[in-house]
Amino acid sequence: MNILMVCLGNICRSPLAQGIMEKKIKKYNLNNTYVDSAGTADYHVGEKPDPRTIEIAGKHGIDITKQRGRQFKAHDFRKFDKIYVMDHSNLSDVSAQAENDDDLKKVDLLLNSISPGENRAVPDPYYGGKNGFENVYQLLDAACEKIVTSLKQKQ
Ligand code: 4NP
């Protein structure tokens, strides 16, 4: 199972989601599960995650300093089985690059894993204060926990 986390800049929400997932994949010993992240924009390609994201991850025992920003490309639909997006703008940007219905079916808002059908967005913390990052962490952690436990049950 290859999972891709997608946000706008790939320096705040999706790198944190990747770090959280990697930790849970290890914790639950989920073999054959891989996670990566990307941004729909190219603003931060090659950059480390935002310092505030690195800090909140570290506070929760997760090291994301080795991650580097990259842009989502249509060929990601070939490699990934599931593409979780953070908000509605990511959803339309990624969906616009789908080549067929199978591609489209891979894409969903991440928070639909904890509140199915509600289409809630993970708020963009980039322009917000520090609390924004803790709030984002809690949302991502809850969603990732749900995803890994349901994958574990299917193993
Ligand atoms: P992210 O946050 O999509 O969660 O990585 C953002 C990062 C950078 C920008 C916007 C959102 N930016 O405009 O540079």
Side-chain angles (χ1 to χ4, degrees):
M1 177 67 149
N2 291 334
I3 297 171
L4 185 64
M5 300 291 188
V6 176
C7 62
L8 174 62
N10 194 212
I11 55 167
C12 295
R13 293 164 292 177
S14 62
L16 189 54
Q18 180 185 338
I20 291 169
M21 269 311 254
E22 284 170 346
K23 188 174 175 184
K24 291 183 188 296
I25 285 168
K26 276 197 197 125
K27 177 181 160 193
Y28 286 93
N29 211 2
L30 265 182
N31 303 316
N32 306 322
T33 305
Y34 168 78
V35 61
D36 190 16
S37 66
T40 56
D42 65 357
Y43 317 138
H44 300 285
V45 171
E47 292 180 19
K48 280 188 187 180
D50 186 286
R52 298 164 296 176
T53 320
I54 291 176
E55 189 188 335
I56 203 82
K59 199 180 136 209
H60 292 280
I62 300 169
D63 178 8
I64 58 166
T65 57
K66 290 189 182 61
Q67 291 189 37
R68 295 295 179 270
R70 77 167 180 92
Q71 189 176 22
F72 177 82
K73 301 282 179 195
H75 63 67
D76 284 314
F77 280 111
R78 305 282 77 73
K79 176 166 180 187
F80 292 94
D81 306 297
K82 192 74 206 176
I83 300 172
Y84 290 111
V85 297
M86 301 297 144
D87 62 30
H88 297 84
S89 137
N90 308 150
L91 182 65
S92 53
D93 289 342
V94 168
S95 302
Q97 297 185 60
E99 283 170 6
N100 51 49
D101 276 357
D102 281 347
D103 285 356
L104 268 184
K105 278 185 216 147
K106 296 179 177 184
V107 191
D108 199 6
L109 286 157
L110 178 67
L111 294 189
N112 276 345
S113 54
I114 45 172
S115 37
E118 288 188 21
N119 297 326
R120 291 164 63 207
V122 179
D124 186 347
Y126 187 66
Y127 297 107
K130 271 204 169 173
N131 284 345
F133 281 82
E134 180 61 30
N135 178 46
V136 164
Y137 176 86
Q138 295 300 337
L139 290 170
L140 296 177
D141 186 65
C144 291
E145 184 72 16
K146 188 71 187 274
I147 292 165
V148 287
T149 50
S150 75
L151 285 176
K152 188 72 190 171
Q153 278 168 6
K154 285 180 200 147
Q155 260 194 350

